[in-house]
Amino acid sequence: MKPSIYIIALFMAIFLSGCATSPPKEPENLCSIYQENRDWYEAAKNTREKWGVPVHIPLAMMYQESSFKHNAAPPMEYFLGFIPIGRASDAYGYAQAKTMTWDDYVKETGNSWSSRSNFDDAMDFMGWFIYKTNKINGVSKWDARNQYLNYHEGWGGYKRKTYNQKPWLIKVAKRVDDRAKRYAAQYHTCKEDLDSSWLWRLFFG
């Protein structure tokens, strides 16, 4: 391998490893999450400005979907208990976005370089989905329960109320809603700190 090619390969490996952020140490606390990952908060604010989505709603949904793991995927299914036959769906990444839905997002937003394993892109995707849910089914962007039901069942499934045949999903949606409410209350206690510039914190914090 030529030195220049080796250097490029090494740079790409470092870059890609830097994109994989470990899950937050305190995932039940919005303040801790955003203080640990300030760039995540910037992504959440960008999503709020672009799609009108509050910073706590997609975070609560994302935690339910992936536990903030960048490479999360549905468990492998096995035939006869030991022969792998694939995963239940092609959902992947922070937002557990399915390939078809992600492709629709890319087509509509033009974000062709996006990746489901990139937090900024996943947050923007969720903002787009929540925005569309509000437009299509009239669900408030602040309504975590029904936003999550749309996210899980799809816009058509939500209209048909397919979730009523899934008691377990109703319970999960309530957990997402409860977490979103806790996140919202926590956010009120640390918003000022999160919005302060890093320079001010460096010299006067």
Side-chain angles (χ1 to χ4, degrees), residues 45-53 105 109 111 124 131:
K45 288 198 299 181
N46 290 339
T47 297
R48 181 179 62 194
E49 293 170 7
K50 183 176 180 180
W51 303 109
V53 175
Y105 156 75
T109 63
N111 193 9
D124 189 64
Y131 171 85

Side-chain angles (χ1 to χ4, degrees), residues 51 108 126-138 141 147 155:
W51 303 109
E108 289 192 18
M126 297 193 89
W128 167 82
F129 195 97
I130 291 169
Y131 171 85
K132 295 268 290 187
T133 295
N134 174 250
K135 292 294 184 182
I136 294 170
N137 283 333
K141 298 172 186 176
Q147 282 287 346
W155 298 308

Side-chain angles (χ1 to χ4, degrees), residues 145 153 160-167 169-170:
R145 177 187 182 276
E153 298 296 275
R160 297 191 303 274
K161 299 184 179 181
T162 55
Y163 51 85
N164 283 333
Q165 282 73 54
K166 302 175 182 178
L169 179 58
I170 300 296

Side-chain angles (χ1 to χ4, degrees), residues 183-202:
Y183 278 173
Q186 292 162 354
Y187 184 52
H188 284 300
T189 70
C190 62
K191 181 179 184 300
E192 184 176 349
D193 178 67
L194 288 170
D195 287 334
S196 63
S197 71
W198 69 271
L199 281 174
W200 177 268
R201 288 173 57 81
L202 178 65

